[in-house]
Amino acid sequence: MGLPGLLEIGEFDLKITRKYYWLPGQTQIVLKAKEGLVMPQCTQAILQIGIQSGKAVMLSWKGMLTFCFVHILSILSAQYTIQTNGVFAPQYQNPVTLPINPDEISDPLAIGFDFDFFGNTYSQFSISSNGFISFQVAGESGTQPQTIPDPDDPNNLIALGWGALLPDYIEISYETMGTAPYRSLHVNFFMEDYVEPSPCTSGYLLIGQIVLYETTNIIELHTDYWDGGDCSKPSAQGIENENGTTAFFTPGRNNVLWTASESLVSFLPDDYTDLAIISMEPVLCEGLRDIRIEVQNLGITTVDTFYADWTWDGVPQDSVNVYTSLPPNSITEVVLGQKALVSGTNYLLQAWTYDPENQPDHFTPNDTITGPVRGGLAGTYTIGGASPDYATIASAISDLVSHGACDTVVFNIRNGTYTEELDIPYLSLITGAVVIFKSETNNPANVIITSNYTSGSTNRMIEINNASHLRFIDLTLKVTGTVCASVVYMNSYCADIQFTGCNILGPTCNSTSTSGAVIALFNGQKDDIRFENNVIRKGSYGVYVSPGSSSFVNDLVLEENSIDSAYRYGAFLNRIQGMNVIGNTIFSPSTSSSGIETNTTYGPTRLERNNIYLPQGTYGMRVYRYNYLTPSSPDTNFVLNNMINLAGAVSGSRSFSIEQSNKVRWCKLQGRIKTVCRLIRSMFLQQICMLVMAPLTMREMPSLHRSWLTLTGKTETYLHRT
C-alpha cells in the first residue's frame, strides 16, 4: 500500500493501491510517510489532504516528500456511483426456493463468495419478505420501510423495493452462478397482493432480482415490475451501510410512491476500475502497417495510465505504456507497434491491458482480445477467361471470406456462362470498402450466372447471409429448372447492398409459396438495400420482403425496374421503415395477381410513377397498415402519378386500396375500366389532386376531397366508373 512518486504542492490525483472511499462531507484525511523507506527524510513527512471537486488537494505538508511511501492513518467509508443506463437482463438457472412468510427475515444464507459492502467483507446474507436483503446479524424484517439512511434497525441492507408489503403470495429464491473469481448471487422476488382497499382494488405486484458480483462488488437491482405506487404503497430502493449513517438510493424511489417496469439500477464502488479492449483491426492492406486496438474505460473514474502487452503469431512483442486521459465510458486507440503484412496472408494477434492507474483491473475477462489480422484484398481482380485471378466466382468469394478487404475490391467477370451456386457470408471489410461483382464489358448479356433445380423447396442461387457492402452490376442471374427457387436470397442482418442493371430471372413458379420469390429478403434487419434498373422476371413473387415480426428493413429502394410475369405479387413489401418504390413497370398475366402491396410500414415513403398492368389482377396497389400504430407520426406515405390497369376481368378487383393506414397522400391515380378504389378503417388520408377511372383521361373530383379525409370505424368507400 503506497503512494510512490514525486508529490508536488498543489492539486493532484490521489493514487493508492487499496480501496478507500470518501464520505459525503468528508473534508480531509491525514497521510504519514512510512519510516525507513527509500529516503530517511520521509520519516517526518506529513500531508494533510482535502477533497475539492473530486480530487485530492494538498492542504499542508511537512518534511521532504520526494519518493516517499505513505500509510493511510484512517479508513474512510465506501462511496458508490449509481448508474441507470444499463440493460435490464435478469438471469436464472436453477434457483433454490426459500420458504418464508410475510414480514419475516430468513436465517443467514451463504453468498457463495466474499462480497465487499461499504468497506466490510461478508460471506452470508439474509432475505426479508419485505423486499430487501441484509448483511446484519439478527436484523429485523423491516415491517415499516424507512427513508434511508436511518440509524434505526434494520441496516446494512440492499433494497429492491422495501415496503410494508404483506403480500398474499410470496415466491423468493436465490442461487449463485458462474466460476471464481467472477461469480454472482441472484436473489429473486415475486410477491403479489391480490386485492387491496381503494384505490388499489386489483392489488399490487413486485417482481425483480438483486444481483451481487464477486471481485467487482457491483450491485444490480433489476425491477421487472412494481406497481405499489399506484396502490399507496411507499417503498425504498437503494443500499444502506451497517450503522444507517450512509445510503445511496435510486432517485425518486426512497420511501415514496413509485412504479417501474424492466428497470436496471447499478451501484458501483468508487474504486471500480475496468478497462476493456473492445476492437482490433482485422484487415489491413499489404505493407508496413500500424497494429491498433481500441480500449474503453468501463470504470467510474478517469484513467491516466495503463499498460498493454501483445503477441504476434505467438511471439511476445514490446510492452506499450499508455499515458492519456481516459474518462469513464470514453474510448482511445492504442498503437501497439508496426508489422509488415502480405496480401492474402493471415496473422494472429493477441493483446491485453493491465494495471490501470497502477492498480489491478477489477474485471479481467474483457482485458484481452485475440483474433486474426488479415492481409486483405484490394484493387481489381478478374474472374474467368484467359489467365484470370480466379477461375470461378465461388473461388473469389472464398478468398474474400478468408482474407477480407482492406479497400474497395472489384471483381471483373469475363464473358461466359458460370454454373455456380454462391454463398456469401459475413465479410471482414475495412470501413468504407465495398465489394463489386460486375461484367467486364458492362453488358449483362455477356455474363450469365446460372443454376438449375429439379427438386427441393429451399433452392437459392445467391444467398447473402449477414454480409454487407456488396454491389452486383450488369450481370445476368438466371435460375432454370422445374421447381420454384430464389435467385437472390438475403438472410440475417445485411446492409448496403445494391443490384444495378442486372437481369434477375427466376423459373416459372405457379405457386403462392415464398420459396419461389425471385428476390427474397427474410429473417432479420436489413439496411439500405437497393434494386435499380433491373429486369426481374417470373417466380411466385418478383420481390418479397418480410424480415420477421421483430425486425424491419430500413431504407429500401426499388427504382426503374421491370418486374415481369410474377405469379402472385410483383412486389410484396412487409415491415419496412422508409422506402422509395419509383418508376417500376409491373406486368403479370396470372389470375388474381397483385402489383404492389406495402404491409405494416413506417417512415418516409414514396410510391411514385409506377406503371402496373394486370389484365387478370386483383389488386393494383394496396397500402395496408401504414403508420398503423403511430397515427401521430410526422412521416407520410406519398402515392403519386401511378398508372394502374387491371381491366376489371376479375370480380371485385381494386386498382388502389388503402386500409388501416394513417397519413397517406395520393395524387393522379390512373385506372382502367371497371376498377375500384376503396378505403377501409383509414384516417388522415388526403386525396390532394385528382382521381382517374377512365382510360388515359383525367377528371377532377373535388366533391370527394373532403369526404375522404377522416374515415374511421369500418366505413368502406367505393368509386366506380362503368
Side-chain angles (χ1 to χ4, degrees), residues 94-311:
N94 298 296
V96 176
T97 300
L98 176 71
I100 194 169
N101 297 313
D103 194 21
E104 186 174 87
I105 191 164
S106 73
D107 292 332
L109 306 166
I111 297 175
F113 51 85
D114 288 342
F115 184 76
D116 287 350
F117 185 65
F118 282 102
N120 298 313
T121 301
Y122 301 95
S123 61
Q124 293 183 319
F125 74 107
S126 299
I127 304 176
S128 168
S129 57
N130 286 315
F132 65 86
I133 68 173
S134 174
F135 304 106
Q136 188 174 16
V137 177
E140 296 183 2
S141 63
T143 303
Q144 293 297 325
Q146 300 169 0
T147 301
I148 57 176
D150 189 315
D152 293 338
D153 281 350
N155 301 124
N156 218 16
L157 59 82
I158 300 171
L160 174 71
W162 176 16
L165 300 182
L166 299 175
D168 297 315
Y169 177 80
I170 301 174
E171 185 175 322
I172 294 176
S173 60
Y174 67 99
E175 61 182 320
T176 300
M177 301 182 188
T179 58
Y182 297 109
R183 290 166 289 191
S184 54
L185 172 70
H186 301 251
V187 183
N188 309 303
F189 292 85
F190 185 103
M191 295 189 287
E192 184 174 11
D193 192 272
Y194 302 131
V195 178
E196 283 287 318
S198 178
C200 188
T201 56
S202 60
Y204 57 84
L205 182 64
L206 173 64
I207 307 174
Q209 186 179 86
I210 297 173
V211 185
L212 311 182
Y213 289 96
E214 184 182 19
T215 302
T216 66
N217 300 306
I218 291 173
I219 301 163
E220 290 183 350
L221 304 180
H222 295 262
T223 308
D224 191 344
Y225 191 80
W226 167 243
D227 61 355
D230 295 332
C231 298
S232 299
K233 285 281 183 180
S235 61
Q237 184 176 84
I239 62 177
E240 184 184 67
N241 71 348
E242 62 182 336
N243 53 20
T245 58
T246 301
F248 298 88
F249 52 85
T250 307
R253 300 181 185 179
N254 192 5
N255 199 20
V256 295
L257 301 178
W258 57 276
T259 62
S261 64
E262 296 190 352
S263 162
L264 169 62
V265 179
S266 302
F267 298 82
L268 285 70
D270 263 2
D271 72 329
Y272 179 65
T273 305
D274 179 21
L275 291 185
I277 301 180
I278 60 172
S279 70
M280 54 180 276
E281 290 184 308
V283 180
L284 296 170
C285 285
E286 188 171 81
L288 189 64
R289 302 294 174 189
D290 288 340
I291 308 302
R292 304 170 187 268
I293 58 173
E294 283 191 325
V295 178
Q296 185 173 17
N297 180 6
L298 299 179
I300 58 174
T301 59
T302 296
V303 172
D304 296 320
T305 303
F306 65 93
Y307 308 92
D309 278 344
W310 60 299
T311 64

Side-chain angles (χ1 to χ4, degrees), residues 364-413:
T364 58
N366 58 12
D367 293 355
T368 301
I369 192 167
T370 303
V373 177
R374 303 173 175 93
L377 305 183
T380 300
Y381 302 84
T382 57
I383 298 176
S387 302
D389 295 304
Y390 301 96
T392 65
I393 303 169
S395 63
I397 293 172
S398 177
D399 218 21
L400 186 64
V401 171
S402 297
H403 305 298
C406 65
D407 203 343
T408 292
V409 174
V410 179
F411 291 111
N412 277 327
I413 307 176

Side-chain angles (χ1 to χ4, degrees), residues 489-637:
Y489 185 96
M490 296 187 200
N491 186 52
S492 191
Y493 178 74
C494 300
D496 185 27
I497 296 176
Q498 301 178 16
F499 286 78
T500 306
C502 294
N503 297 326
I504 308 175
L505 313 177
T508 298
C509 179
N510 294 331
S511 167
T512 60
S513 170
T514 58
S515 64
V518 177
I519 297 169
L521 278 63
F522 277 103
N523 305 328
Q525 180 178 328
K526 313 285 185 294
D527 293 333
D528 191 19
I529 308 298
R530 305 175 70 91
F531 293 90
E532 299 174 290
N533 296 293
N534 302 289
V535 174
I536 303 167
R537 185 172 297 161
K538 296 187 177 180
S540 56
Y541 295 75
V543 179
Y544 184 88
V545 177
S546 186
S549 60
S550 60
S551 300
F552 281 92
V553 173
N554 300 303
D555 301 321
L556 176 71
V557 173
L558 295 177
E559 290 193 7
E560 308 298 338
N561 300 287
S562 172
I563 304 176
D564 182 18
S565 299
Y567 178 78
R568 181 66 183 92
Y569 275 93
F572 180 86
L573 311 174
N574 180 45
R575 294 189 63 81
I576 298 175
Q577 294 186 133
M579 63 177 158
N580 285 341
V581 182
I582 299 174
N584 301 285
T585 299
I586 299 176
F587 167 77
S588 176
S590 301
T591 301
S592 301
S593 60
S594 295
I596 298 171
E597 178 172 327
T598 65
N599 188 315
T600 313
T601 58
Y602 301 87
T605 299
R606 299 183 76 87
L607 307 177
E608 182 176 354
R609 293 190 295 103
N610 298 288
N611 191 332
I612 301 172
Y613 178 38
L614 310 173
Q616 303 289 324
T618 301
Y619 281 99
M621 183 178 292
R622 185 187 188 202
V623 177
Y624 181 66
R625 290 190 170 181
Y626 176 77
N627 279 343
Y628 176 61
L629 298 176
T630 56
S632 61
S633 168
D635 298 319
T636 301
N637 185 344

Side-chain angles (χ1 to χ4, degrees), residues 667-683:
C667 173
K668 292 186 179 178
L669 286 172
Q670 301 186 22
R672 285 290 186 178
I673 295 173
K674 296 183 180 178
T675 60
V676 175
C677 282
R678 74 171 186 173
L679 305 181
I680 301 178
R681 296 188 297 276
S682 300
M683 300 178 65

